[in-house]
Amino acid sequence: MKGYKRYFLKKVFWFVVTLVAAVILNFTLPRLMPSDPIATITRRVTEGMNNQNAVMQIYREYARKFGTDQPMWKQFFIYIGNLLRGDMGVSFQQYPRKVSDIVASSVVWTIALQLPAILVGWMVGNLLGALAAYIRKGFDKVLVPISLFVSGLPAFGLAVTLLVIFGITLKWLPISGGYSYDLLPSFSWKFIKSVIAHYQMPFWSVVLIAIGGQAIGMRSMSIYELNADYVKYSRFLGVKDRKVVGYVFRNAMLPQVTGLALSIGTMIGGALVAETIFSYPGLGSTIMSGITSADYPLISGVTLIITVMVLTMSFIIEMLYGVIDPRVKAAQSE
Amino acid sequence: MRNTLRQVSRSANFMIGFVTVMLILLMVGIYPLFNPGSPLDMIGLGTFFKPGTYISMYDAVETATAYTLRIDDAAAKRVAAKLPMADRESMKRWLIAYGIAEDAIHTDDLNDLLNLWNNTYDESARPAGLTSAFRKSVARIDAALEGLLEPLDVRVYTTSPETGETRETARIKDNQFINVSEVVNTRRLWLGTDNFGRDAFKELLAATGVSLKIGLIAGVIATALGLMLGLLSGFVGGIVDDIIMFFANLFTVIPGFVLLILISYSIGQEQRGATVVAAVIGCTSWVWTTRSVRAQTLSLRNRDHVNLSRLSGHTLPRILVTDILPYIASYVVMALILQICSGILAEAQLSMLGLGPKTTETPTLGLMMFWGMTYAAHQNGAWWAYFPVILMIALVSFSMNLMNTGLDQVFNPQLRS
């Protein structure tokens, strides 16, 4: 048990360290740059005003309100304090709505979309990859080029293609939003049906891309494993083929689990962009509207949430990995 | 070295990918020679012109010689172009309501349909079951039909700038043709124009060039950084290794995408050129290469030839370059190809969020996609504004992945079938 404990403690430590680093980066990066956000806001608010004194007054007022007249370290602690209270500031664009409210309402959509999509894509991809490695021949010849092609596609490219085929040409599925415009979120049957219909295309565009990437990785891993000595030895011993394949699958699977933990950030990034194609009410569309309207607090709130999401997900995966791979225990107690 | 190259050139996967990338590069390089001028010129006044050959109407009437050709179905084609299928269906519906048997009406045979129509249609008739709005729309179709089959000559009048006198300068009959090669001003727009009225094909090729450049810069920066840090951390070990690995661990979990968004946003629209975006992408994606290079260096650092080199008093850079690098060179090349590929994707994704390079300076694949989507090209049926872009990204990344698979099979014999 000692080995596991060390593994988990190490992972928890890293989780905390990366979280702190992410918060620091989220705070410092925008402030390091030469552009002055307060000047930008002032310019927007005072457009058309030509009284310099009044403009200066407004600038100072904003600087005081956002705390930019304080020294950097003080600002940082104010920022941390506010974060701990769940306060990420006020959105410029949707004033006076709080950033935390906007983020909270969109993060639900994103998680509900991406978590199942990535998991389904990962599982199906691994299955197909293992099959390709085992069967080889025809199946392999078809699957590999297709997977290569799909995994190379940007998620938004696949999203647009699906949208045009199923949404605009065939008119099978609604093309934008998370639910019908004429409905209000509620627990009615009609609303749920609408949500499910709107869910299809964003879901499949993420799933298909994930399948492509995972299938290729799993295929290579499985081929390595199939050539390993233990497989040959088991075959010599006359162990049943099915059982050998089971071992191979398990062993090839483990690197894929770590692979998922490491690539989840990239996957979520791609999927967020795909969200914007469908105007899906998730984080992707939120950050895009923040960028187009120069809504700085909103952007920083969303990036922070994305980071926390990715960190948490890879943390959970690594925790699971510790449980399913007994070698972790051995490695830690050395 | 030569042997490796020969092996690589025998790999079908690698060669297909390589040739595709080269062909794309060739097109990017050569096309501007045939069609000079900036790809950002807004030649079309309007958005999303359809693909096709554009012929100056003015020159066609003014300068080209007219030839008379006898083509039997010219009239029918002309009517067909002016009478869309929806209108024919309306006519059919009216005729059926009027009492004509359905199998006597052929919407495909235009002459037949028009004959039947001219013989039966009566504007004052009120067939049962048709709304008055529908009857009115049919009456409009009927009015438009008149004179279609026996067209009048088109007359061209010109006003003299001196006297202000207007007189007829040309009379064009329906069987007159011009030879397109005699018209001075024609423009072939293979992919029409985009929302700004730019030649989309020309822009696509220019954008592909810029995107490849962005990918290359980002890839080289990322690979160089990753290689350097990986070699150092793997070979030197100790505190250097600890520090480098601390940052590597940090940046594997903090998504590079978020860093990209934050940095790109902070740089601001004005400073964001293609090179800057490429550099930012490169600086946020070194982690993978560092990790793998470090792992491989670790396995090499205690080999005999390395120890011998160390005993001979060779300097650190020399050991790294002559004793370690050759062993991991194949891996570095593969990593570089992957980094180029993901650099192109990263630029496209950033641009899709509105954080790409400045639109007025350079076209990139991501920006073309971004503007196509912003102007709802997909909802206007303007496939030429976005689909070739997706296809191009897919083609580039597919052929690069194919090259990598080929290399993988050469360097890891286990993967060969």
Side-chain angles (χ1 to χ4, degrees), chain A residues 14 18 26 30 33 35 136 148 152 156 163-164 168 224 262 269-270 273 291 294 299 314, chain B residues 246 249-250 253 257 262 265-266 288 349 352 355 369 378 386 397 401-402 412 414 417:
Chain A
W14 268 106
T18 38
N26 223 35
M33 300 303 161
S35 65
R136 302 306 285 266
L148 267 182
F156 65 80
L163 176 74
V164 170
I168 295 174
Y224 270 121
L262 294 175
V273 179
I291 289 166
I299 296 172
S314 44
Chain B
F246 175 78
N249 281 335
L250 214 57
V253 227
F257 187 65
L262 280 179
Y265 181 73
S266 313
W288 288 104
Q349 288 185 342
M352 283 301 293
L355 287 174
M369 195 70 203
H378 54 305
Y386 61 90
S397 83
N401 276 321
L402 212 56
N412 299 326
Q414 277 191 322
S417 40

mmCIF file of all heavy atoms in Angstrom, chain A residues 14 18 26 30 33 35 136 148 152 156 163-164 168 224 262 269-270 273 291 294 299 314, chain B residues 246 249-250 253 257 262 265-266 288 349 352 355 369 378 386 397 401-402 412 414 417:
data_model
loop_
_atom_site.group_PDB
_atom_site.id
_atom_site.type_symbol
_atom_site.label_atom_id
_atom_site.label_comp_id
_atom_site.label_asym_id
_atom_site.label_seq_id
_atom_site.Cartn_x
_atom_site.Cartn_y
_atom_site.Cartn_z
ATOM 1 N N TRP A 14 1.844 17.383 -7.552
ATOM 2 C CA TRP A 14 1.974 17.981 -8.875
ATOM 3 C C TRP A 14 0.712 18.714 -9.305
ATOM 4 O O TRP A 14 0.766 19.748 -9.955
ATOM 5 C CB TRP A 14 2.346 16.923 -9.924
ATOM 6 C CG TRP A 14 3.818 16.862 -10.061
ATOM 7 C CD1 TRP A 14 4.638 15.890 -9.599
ATOM 8 C CD2 TRP A 14 4.658 17.862 -10.638
ATOM 9 N NE1 TRP A 14 5.938 16.213 -9.853
ATOM 10 C CE2 TRP A 14 5.988 17.415 -10.497
ATOM 11 C CE3 TRP A 14 4.429 19.083 -11.249
ATOM 12 C CZ2 TRP A 14 7.073 18.138 -10.952
ATOM 13 C CZ3 TRP A 14 5.512 19.812 -11.711
ATOM 14 C CH2 TRP A 14 6.818 19.348 -11.553
ATOM 15 N N THR A 18 0.930 22.556 -10.362
ATOM 16 C CA THR A 18 0.524 23.036 -11.686
ATOM 17 C C THR A 18 -0.649 24.001 -11.571
ATOM 18 O O THR A 18 -0.724 24.965 -12.317
ATOM 19 C CB THR A 18 0.122 21.876 -12.615
ATOM 20 O OG1 THR A 18 -0.564 20.904 -11.847
ATOM 21 C CG2 THR A 18 1.316 21.273 -13.283
ATOM 22 N N ASN A 26 -1.909 32.775 -15.636
ATOM 23 C CA ASN A 26 -3.142 33.438 -16.035
ATOM 24 C C ASN A 26 -3.155 34.893 -15.569
ATOM 25 O O ASN A 26 -3.725 35.767 -16.199
ATOM 26 C CB ASN A 26 -4.328 32.685 -15.432
ATOM 27 C CG ASN A 26 -5.439 32.528 -16.423
ATOM 28 O OD1 ASN A 26 -5.176 32.367 -17.614
ATOM 29 N ND2 ASN A 26 -6.659 32.580 -15.956
ATOM 30 N N PRO A 30 -0.993 38.265 -19.321
ATOM 31 C CA PRO A 30 -1.594 39.448 -19.935
ATOM 32 C C PRO A 30 -1.005 40.745 -19.391
ATOM 33 O O PRO A 30 -0.970 41.745 -20.092
ATOM 34 C CB PRO A 30 -3.070 39.339 -19.548
ATOM 35 C CG PRO A 30 -3.255 37.932 -19.144
ATOM 36 C CD PRO A 30 -1.960 37.494 -18.571
ATOM 37 N N MET A 33 2.382 42.130 -21.051
ATOM 38 C CA MET A 33 2.374 42.683 -22.399
ATOM 39 C C MET A 33 2.222 44.191 -22.370
ATOM 40 O O MET A 33 1.646 44.751 -21.444
ATOM 41 C CB MET A 33 1.229 42.058 -23.204
ATOM 42 C CG MET A 33 1.370 40.574 -23.308
ATOM 43 S SD MET A 33 2.955 40.117 -24.046
ATOM 44 C CE MET A 33 3.065 38.411 -23.521
ATOM 45 N N SER A 35 0.384 46.246 -24.017
ATOM 46 C CA SER A 35 -0.909 46.903 -24.182
ATOM 47 C C SER A 35 -1.592 47.093 -22.820
ATOM 48 O O SER A 35 -1.500 46.253 -21.938
ATOM 49 C CB SER A 35 -1.798 46.058 -25.098
ATOM 50 O OG SER A 35 -2.091 44.833 -24.477
ATOM 51 N N ARG A 136 -4.729 -7.368 -39.058
ATOM 52 C CA ARG A 136 -3.862 -6.927 -40.173
ATOM 53 C C ARG A 136 -4.622 -7.058 -41.491
ATOM 54 O O ARG A 136 -5.804 -6.867 -41.562
ATOM 55 C CB ARG A 136 -2.543 -7.716 -40.242
ATOM 56 C CG ARG A 136 -1.694 -7.650 -38.991
ATOM 57 C CD ARG A 136 -1.399 -6.256 -38.536
ATOM 58 N NE ARG A 136 -0.422 -5.521 -39.302
ATOM 59 C CZ ARG A 136 0.882 -5.465 -39.007
ATOM 60 N NH1 ARG A 136 1.367 -6.157 -38.013
ATOM 61 N NH2 ARG A 136 1.685 -4.711 -39.705
ATOM 62 N N LEU A 148 -5.550 8.047 -40.243
ATOM 63 C CA LEU A 148 -4.549 9.095 -40.454
ATOM 64 C C LEU A 148 -5.217 10.355 -40.972
ATOM 65 O O LEU A 148 -4.943 11.463 -40.518
ATOM 66 C CB LEU A 148 -3.512 8.630 -41.472
ATOM 67 C CG LEU A 148 -2.259 7.960 -40.945
ATOM 68 C CD1 LEU A 148 -1.344 7.618 -42.093
ATOM 69 C CD2 LEU A 148 -1.560 8.868 -39.966
ATOM 70 N N GLY A 152 -5.787 13.874 -38.779
ATOM 71 C CA GLY A 152 -5.109 15.075 -39.238
ATOM 72 C C GLY A 152 -6.054 16.234 -39.467
ATOM 73 O O GLY A 152 -5.636 17.387 -39.518
ATOM 74 N N PHE A 156 -12.638 21.566 -36.242
ATOM 75 C CA PHE A 156 -13.633 22.490 -36.810
ATOM 76 C C PHE A 156 -13.916 22.164 -38.269
ATOM 77 O O PHE A 156 -15.013 22.382 -38.753
ATOM 78 C CB PHE A 156 -13.190 23.943 -36.639
ATOM 79 C CG PHE A 156 -11.949 24.326 -37.378
ATOM 80 C CD1 PHE A 156 -12.001 24.623 -38.724
ATOM 81 C CD2 PHE A 156 -10.731 24.410 -36.723
ATOM 82 C CE1 PHE A 156 -10.854 24.970 -39.417
ATOM 83 C CE2 PHE A 156 -9.584 24.765 -37.405
ATOM 84 C CZ PHE A 156 -9.647 25.042 -38.755
ATOM 85 N N LEU A 163 -21.838 19.716 -40.535
ATOM 86 C CA LEU A 163 -22.893 20.733 -40.490
ATOM 87 C C LEU A 163 -23.530 20.931 -41.859
ATOM 88 O O LEU A 163 -24.750 20.975 -41.996
ATOM 89 C CB LEU A 163 -22.291 22.047 -39.983
ATOM 90 C CG LEU A 163 -23.193 23.256 -39.939
ATOM 91 C CD1 LEU A 163 -24.141 23.100 -38.782
ATOM 92 C CD2 LEU A 163 -22.396 24.518 -39.779
ATOM 93 N N VAL A 164 -22.663 21.022 -42.884
ATOM 94 C CA VAL A 164 -23.192 21.281 -44.221
ATOM 95 C C VAL A 164 -23.954 20.063 -44.742
ATOM 96 O O VAL A 164 -25.034 20.193 -45.319
ATOM 97 C CB VAL A 164 -22.045 21.679 -45.180
ATOM 98 C CG1 VAL A 164 -22.548 21.708 -46.607
ATOM 99 C CG2 VAL A 164 -21.495 23.027 -44.790
ATOM 100 N N ILE A 168 -27.474 21.378 -43.308
ATOM 101 C CA ILE A 168 -27.964 22.301 -44.326
ATOM 102 C C ILE A 168 -28.505 21.567 -45.543
ATOM 103 O O ILE A 168 -29.592 21.864 -46.026
ATOM 104 C CB ILE A 168 -26.852 23.299 -44.712
ATOM 105 C CG1 ILE A 168 -26.536 24.176 -43.498
ATOM 106 C CG2 ILE A 168 -27.276 24.156 -45.890
ATOM 107 C CD1 ILE A 168 -25.379 25.100 -43.663
ATOM 108 N N TYR A 224 3.576 -3.759 -31.308
ATOM 109 C CA TYR A 224 4.752 -3.969 -30.463
ATOM 110 C C TYR A 224 4.515 -5.130 -29.502
ATOM 111 O O TYR A 224 5.329 -6.025 -29.364
ATOM 112 C CB TYR A 224 5.042 -2.709 -29.630
ATOM 113 C CG TYR A 224 5.973 -1.734 -30.299
ATOM 114 C CD1 TYR A 224 5.575 -0.438 -30.550
ATOM 115 C CD2 TYR A 224 7.268 -2.111 -30.646
ATOM 116 C CE1 TYR A 224 6.431 0.476 -31.161
ATOM 117 C CE2 TYR A 224 8.123 -1.212 -31.251
ATOM 118 C CZ TYR A 224 7.706 0.077 -31.508
ATOM 119 O OH TYR A 224 8.536 0.961 -32.097
ATOM 120 N N LEU A 262 -2.297 12.876 -21.119
ATOM 121 C CA LEU A 262 -1.421 13.911 -21.660
ATOM 122 C C LEU A 262 -2.038 14.665 -22.823
ATOM 123 O O LEU A 262 -1.742 15.831 -23.047
ATOM 124 C CB LEU A 262 -0.095 13.280 -22.108
ATOM 125 C CG LEU A 262 0.758 12.717 -20.973
ATOM 126 C CD1 LEU A 262 1.982 12.012 -21.521
ATOM 127 C CD2 LEU A 262 1.170 13.818 -20.015
ATOM 128 N N GLY A 269 -8.906 21.558 -26.548
ATOM 129 C CA GLY A 269 -8.668 22.763 -27.348
ATOM 130 C C GLY A 269 -9.346 22.678 -28.702
ATOM 131 O O GLY A 269 -10.066 23.582 -29.114
ATOM 132 N N GLY A 270 -9.123 21.543 -29.387
ATOM 133 C CA GLY A 270 -9.724 21.368 -30.698
ATOM 134 C C GLY A 270 -11.240 21.364 -30.628
ATOM 135 O O GLY A 270 -11.913 21.981 -31.448
ATOM 136 N N VAL A 273 -12.899 24.777 -30.319
ATOM 137 C CA VAL A 273 -13.039 25.506 -31.576
ATOM 138 C C VAL A 273 -14.211 24.941 -32.380
ATOM 139 O O VAL A 273 -14.966 25.679 -33.007
ATOM 140 C CB VAL A 273 -11.731 25.452 -32.377
ATOM 141 C CG1 VAL A 273 -11.874 26.174 -33.686
ATOM 142 C CG2 VAL A 273 -10.603 26.057 -31.567
ATOM 143 N N ILE A 291 -13.236 37.248 -27.066
ATOM 144 C CA ILE A 291 -12.122 37.753 -27.875
ATOM 145 C C ILE A 291 -12.609 38.816 -28.844
ATOM 146 O O ILE A 291 -11.996 39.874 -28.980
ATOM 147 C CB ILE A 291 -11.449 36.595 -28.640
ATOM 148 C CG1 ILE A 291 -10.678 35.719 -27.658
ATOM 149 C CG2 ILE A 291 -10.493 37.125 -29.695
ATOM 150 C CD1 ILE A 291 -10.252 34.389 -28.216
ATOM 151 N N ALA A 294 -13.206 42.017 -27.073
ATOM 152 C CA ALA A 294 -12.113 42.451 -26.194
ATOM 153 C C ALA A 294 -12.545 42.449 -24.728
ATOM 154 O O ALA A 294 -12.212 43.344 -23.966
ATOM 155 C CB ALA A 294 -11.594 43.819 -26.596
ATOM 156 N N ILE A 299 -12.230 36.432 -20.933
ATOM 157 C CA ILE A 299 -11.212 35.555 -21.513
ATOM 158 C C ILE A 299 -10.398 34.900 -20.411
ATOM 159 O O ILE A 299 -10.203 33.675 -20.406
ATOM 160 C CB ILE A 299 -10.272 36.355 -22.434
ATOM 161 C CG1 ILE A 299 -11.056 36.907 -23.611
ATOM 162 C CG2 ILE A 299 -9.135 35.479 -22.927
ATOM 163 C CD1 ILE A 299 -10.275 37.859 -24.453
ATOM 164 N N SER A 314 -6.839 15.191 -16.179
ATOM 165 C CA SER A 314 -5.648 14.344 -16.275
ATOM 166 C C SER A 314 -5.253 13.824 -14.895
ATOM 167 O O SER A 314 -4.710 12.719 -14.785
ATOM 168 C CB SER A 314 -4.487 15.065 -16.963
ATOM 169 O OG SER A 314 -4.373 16.351 -16.481
ATOM 170 N N PHE B 246 11.023 20.130 -14.272
ATOM 171 C CA PHE B 246 9.949 20.802 -13.546
ATOM 172 C C PHE B 246 9.066 21.579 -14.521
ATOM 173 O O PHE B 246 7.843 21.437 -14.523
ATOM 174 C CB PHE B 246 10.545 21.753 -12.498
ATOM 175 C CG PHE B 246 9.518 22.569 -11.782
ATOM 176 C CD1 PHE B 246 8.761 22.005 -10.761
ATOM 177 C CD2 PHE B 246 9.273 23.886 -12.138
ATOM 178 C CE1 PHE B 246 7.810 22.752 -10.099
ATOM 179 C CE2 PHE B 246 8.316 24.631 -11.490
ATOM 180 C CZ PHE B 246 7.589 24.071 -10.456
ATOM 181 N N ASN B 249 7.192 19.198 -16.901
ATOM 182 C CA ASN B 249 6.014 18.609 -16.266
ATOM 183 C C ASN B 249 4.882 19.606 -16.159
ATOM 184 O O ASN B 249 3.722 19.291 -16.378
ATOM 185 C CB ASN B 249 6.364 18.101 -14.867
ATOM 186 C CG ASN B 249 7.071 16.766 -14.926
ATOM 187 O OD1 ASN B 249 6.889 16.034 -15.891
ATOM 188 N ND2 ASN B 249 7.870 16.489 -13.932
ATOM 189 N N LEU B 250 5.276 20.835 -15.819
ATOM 190 C CA LEU B 250 4.280 21.892 -15.667
ATOM 191 C C LEU B 250 3.516 22.095 -16.974
ATOM 192 O O LEU B 250 2.288 22.109 -17.003
ATOM 193 C CB LEU B 250 5.013 23.184 -15.302
ATOM 194 C CG LEU B 250 4.303 24.119 -14.377
ATOM 195 C CD1 LEU B 250 3.979 23.390 -13.102
ATOM 196 C CD2 LEU B 250 5.204 25.312 -14.088
ATOM 197 N N VAL B 253 0.905 19.541 -18.483
ATOM 198 C CA VAL B 253 -0.462 19.501 -17.971
ATOM 199 C C VAL B 253 -1.213 20.792 -18.255
ATOM 200 O O VAL B 253 -2.403 20.756 -18.518
ATOM 201 C CB VAL B 253 -0.500 19.193 -16.463
ATOM 202 C CG1 VAL B 253 -1.537 18.127 -16.200
ATOM 203 C CG2 VAL B 253 0.825 18.772 -15.935
ATOM 204 N N PHE B 257 -2.869 25.089 -25.562
ATOM 205 C CA PHE B 257 -3.898 25.878 -26.233
ATOM 206 C C PHE B 257 -4.263 27.116 -25.419
ATOM 207 O O PHE B 257 -4.404 28.219 -25.961
ATOM 208 C CB PHE B 257 -5.122 24.973 -26.403
ATOM 209 C CG PHE B 257 -6.200 25.566 -27.214
ATOM 210 C CD1 PHE B 257 -6.001 25.842 -28.547
ATOM 211 C CD2 PHE B 257 -7.435 25.851 -26.655
ATOM 212 C CE1 PHE B 257 -6.993 26.393 -29.302
ATOM 213 C CE2 PHE B 257 -8.438 26.393 -27.406
ATOM 214 C CZ PHE B 257 -8.220 26.670 -28.737
ATOM 215 N N LEU B 262 -3.862 33.008 -24.322
ATOM 216 C CA LEU B 262 -3.476 34.112 -23.438
ATOM 217 C C LEU B 262 -2.393 34.977 -24.072
ATOM 218 O O LEU B 262 -2.514 36.210 -24.109
ATOM 219 C CB LEU B 262 -2.976 33.561 -22.101
ATOM 220 C CG LEU B 262 -4.058 33.161 -21.115
ATOM 221 C CD1 LEU B 262 -3.440 32.604 -19.859
ATOM 222 C CD2 LEU B 262 -4.938 34.353 -20.781
ATOM 223 N N TYR B 265 -3.617 36.821 -27.224
ATOM 224 C CA TYR B 265 -4.525 37.923 -26.903
ATOM 225 C C TYR B 265 -3.736 39.092 -26.329
ATOM 226 O O TYR B 265 -4.000 40.246 -26.666
ATOM 227 C CB TYR B 265 -5.589 37.474 -25.909
ATOM 228 C CG TYR B 265 -6.540 38.580 -25.582
ATOM 229 C CD1 TYR B 265 -7.484 38.974 -26.530
ATOM 230 C CD2 TYR B 265 -6.480 39.262 -24.385
ATOM 231 C CE1 TYR B 265 -8.335 40.011 -26.276
ATOM 232 C CE2 TYR B 265 -7.330 40.303 -24.120
ATOM 233 C CZ TYR B 265 -8.257 40.675 -25.060
ATOM 234 O OH TYR B 265 -9.103 41.717 -24.816
ATOM 235 N N SER B 266 -2.747 38.766 -25.482
ATOM 236 C CA SER B 266 -2.002 39.840 -24.836
ATOM 237 C C SER B 266 -1.137 40.604 -25.820
ATOM 238 O O SER B 266 -0.918 41.802 -25.667
ATOM 239 C CB SER B 266 -1.110 39.270 -23.738
ATOM 240 O OG SER B 266 -1.840 38.378 -22.953
ATOM 241 N N TRP B 288 6.826 18.101 -25.675
ATOM 242 C CA TRP B 288 6.843 16.701 -26.105
ATOM 243 C C TRP B 288 8.226 16.278 -26.531
ATOM 244 O O TRP B 288 8.727 15.236 -26.135
ATOM 245 C CB TRP B 288 5.886 16.522 -27.292
ATOM 246 C CG TRP B 288 4.507 16.608 -26.842
ATOM 247 C CD1 TRP B 288 3.658 17.663 -27.002
ATOM 248 C CD2 TRP B 288 3.803 15.622 -26.102
ATOM 249 N NE1 TRP B 288 2.475 17.371 -26.418
ATOM 250 C CE2 TRP B 288 2.530 16.138 -25.860
ATOM 251 C CE3 TRP B 288 4.131 14.357 -25.643
ATOM 252 C CZ2 TRP B 288 1.572 15.442 -25.161
ATOM 253 C CZ3 TRP B 288 3.188 13.656 -24.943
ATOM 254 C CH2 TRP B 288 1.920 14.198 -24.712
ATOM 255 N N GLN B 349 -6.586 26.923 -35.604
ATOM 256 C CA GLN B 349 -7.507 26.987 -34.463
ATOM 257 C C GLN B 349 -7.501 28.365 -33.819
ATOM 258 O O GLN B 349 -8.547 28.895 -33.464
ATOM 259 C CB GLN B 349 -7.141 25.927 -33.443
ATOM 260 C CG GLN B 349 -7.509 24.550 -33.947
ATOM 261 C CD GLN B 349 -7.279 23.480 -32.918
ATOM 262 O OE1 GLN B 349 -6.557 23.675 -31.956
ATOM 263 N NE2 GLN B 349 -7.896 22.339 -33.127
ATOM 264 N N MET B 352 -9.427 30.669 -35.926
ATOM 265 C CA MET B 352 -10.862 30.436 -35.831
ATOM 266 C C MET B 352 -11.461 31.167 -34.644
ATOM 267 O O MET B 352 -12.633 31.513 -34.638
ATOM 268 C CB MET B 352 -11.152 28.940 -35.672
ATOM 269 C CG MET B 352 -11.050 28.142 -36.928
ATOM 270 S SD MET B 352 -12.150 28.695 -38.198
ATOM 271 C CE MET B 352 -13.723 28.299 -37.485
ATOM 272 N N LEU B 355 -7.912 34.980 -33.149
ATOM 273 C CA LEU B 355 -6.615 35.380 -32.603
ATOM 274 C C LEU B 355 -5.496 35.138 -33.601
ATOM 275 O O LEU B 355 -4.335 35.030 -33.237
ATOM 276 C CB LEU B 355 -6.320 34.605 -31.321
ATOM 277 C CG LEU B 355 -7.127 35.032 -30.108
ATOM 278 C CD1 LEU B 355 -6.858 34.115 -28.940
ATOM 279 C CD2 LEU B 355 -6.796 36.453 -29.728
ATOM 280 N N MET B 369 -10.671 30.488 -43.243
ATOM 281 C CA MET B 369 -11.754 29.724 -42.623
ATOM 282 C C MET B 369 -12.558 30.635 -41.693
ATOM 283 O O MET B 369 -13.789 30.619 -41.691
ATOM 284 C CB MET B 369 -11.084 28.613 -41.820
ATOM 285 C CG MET B 369 -11.962 27.524 -41.388
ATOM 286 S SD MET B 369 -12.462 26.542 -42.758
ATOM 287 C CE MET B 369 -13.934 25.882 -42.033
ATOM 288 N N HIS B 378 -21.098 28.872 -45.119
ATOM 289 C CA HIS B 378 -21.707 27.542 -45.155
ATOM 290 C C HIS B 378 -23.217 27.619 -45.229
ATOM 291 O O HIS B 378 -23.858 26.718 -45.725
ATOM 292 C CB HIS B 378 -21.258 26.707 -43.958
ATOM 293 C CG HIS B 378 -21.496 27.360 -42.636
ATOM 294 N ND1 HIS B 378 -21.016 28.606 -42.318
ATOM 295 C CD2 HIS B 378 -22.157 26.935 -41.548
ATOM 296 C CE1 HIS B 378 -21.383 28.902 -41.083
ATOM 297 N NE2 HIS B 378 -22.074 27.905 -40.599
ATOM 298 N N TYR B 386 -14.948 27.833 -48.016
ATOM 299 C CA TYR B 386 -14.419 27.137 -46.843
ATOM 300 C C TYR B 386 -13.969 25.698 -47.137
ATOM 301 O O TYR B 386 -13.027 25.209 -46.567
ATOM 302 C CB TYR B 386 -15.441 27.114 -45.716
ATOM 303 C CG TYR B 386 -16.716 26.398 -46.070
ATOM 304 C CD1 TYR B 386 -16.838 25.055 -45.831
ATOM 305 C CD2 TYR B 386 -17.773 27.063 -46.659
ATOM 306 C CE1 TYR B 386 -17.982 24.378 -46.198
ATOM 307 C CE2 TYR B 386 -18.916 26.396 -47.023
ATOM 308 C CZ TYR B 386 -19.018 25.059 -46.783
ATOM 309 O OH TYR B 386 -20.136 24.381 -47.151
ATOM 310 N N SER B 397 -1.866 17.867 -43.691
ATOM 311 C CA SER B 397 -1.557 17.117 -42.473
ATOM 312 C C SER B 397 -1.604 15.615 -42.745
ATOM 313 O O SER B 397 -0.828 14.860 -42.172
ATOM 314 C CB SER B 397 -2.467 17.528 -41.324
ATOM 315 O OG SER B 397 -3.672 16.866 -41.399
ATOM 316 N N ASN B 401 1.520 13.210 -42.019
ATOM 317 C CA ASN B 401 1.362 12.031 -41.164
ATOM 318 C C ASN B 401 1.794 10.771 -41.901
ATOM 319 O O ASN B 401 2.368 9.860 -41.314
ATOM 320 C CB ASN B 401 -0.093 11.882 -40.727
ATOM 321 C CG ASN B 401 -0.392 12.735 -39.525
ATOM 322 O OD1 ASN B 401 0.431 12.841 -38.628
ATOM 323 N ND2 ASN B 401 -1.549 13.355 -39.496
ATOM 324 N N LEU B 402 1.491 10.740 -43.194
ATOM 325 C CA LEU B 402 1.859 9.578 -44.008
ATOM 326 C C LEU B 402 3.374 9.455 -44.082
ATOM 327 O O LEU B 402 3.929 8.364 -43.942
ATOM 328 C CB LEU B 402 1.277 9.766 -45.411
ATOM 329 C CG LEU B 402 0.858 8.508 -46.156
ATOM 330 C CD1 LEU B 402 -0.128 7.714 -45.341
ATOM 331 C CD2 LEU B 402 0.234 8.891 -47.483
ATOM 332 N N ASN B 412 11.508 1.632 -37.196
ATOM 333 C CA ASN B 412 11.050 0.599 -36.257
ATOM 334 C C ASN B 412 10.585 -0.616 -37.040
ATOM 335 O O ASN B 412 9.416 -0.730 -37.372
ATOM 336 C CB ASN B 412 9.876 1.109 -35.407
ATOM 337 C CG ASN B 412 10.277 2.298 -34.587
ATOM 338 O OD1 ASN B 412 11.408 2.399 -34.140
ATOM 339 N ND2 ASN B 412 9.343 3.201 -34.399
ATOM 340 N N GLN B 414 9.717 -3.403 -36.441
ATOM 341 C CA GLN B 414 8.613 -4.211 -35.930
ATOM 342 C C GLN B 414 7.274 -3.836 -36.546
ATOM 343 O O GLN B 414 6.378 -4.650 -36.628
ATOM 344 C CB GLN B 414 8.516 -4.032 -34.421
ATOM 345 C CG GLN B 414 9.479 -4.936 -33.678
ATOM 346 C CD GLN B 414 9.172 -4.919 -32.210
ATOM 347 O OE1 GLN B 414 8.837 -3.880 -31.669
ATOM 348 N NE2 GLN B 414 9.283 -6.059 -31.582
ATOM 349 N N SER B 417 4.766 -4.647 -42.046
ATOM 350 C CA SER B 417 3.889 -5.810 -42.170
ATOM 351 C C SER B 417 4.552 -6.853 -43.066
ATOM 352 O O SER B 417 5.406 -6.560 -43.848
ATOM 353 C CB SER B 417 2.544 -5.402 -42.742
ATOM 354 O OG SER B 417 2.732 -4.442 -43.750
#
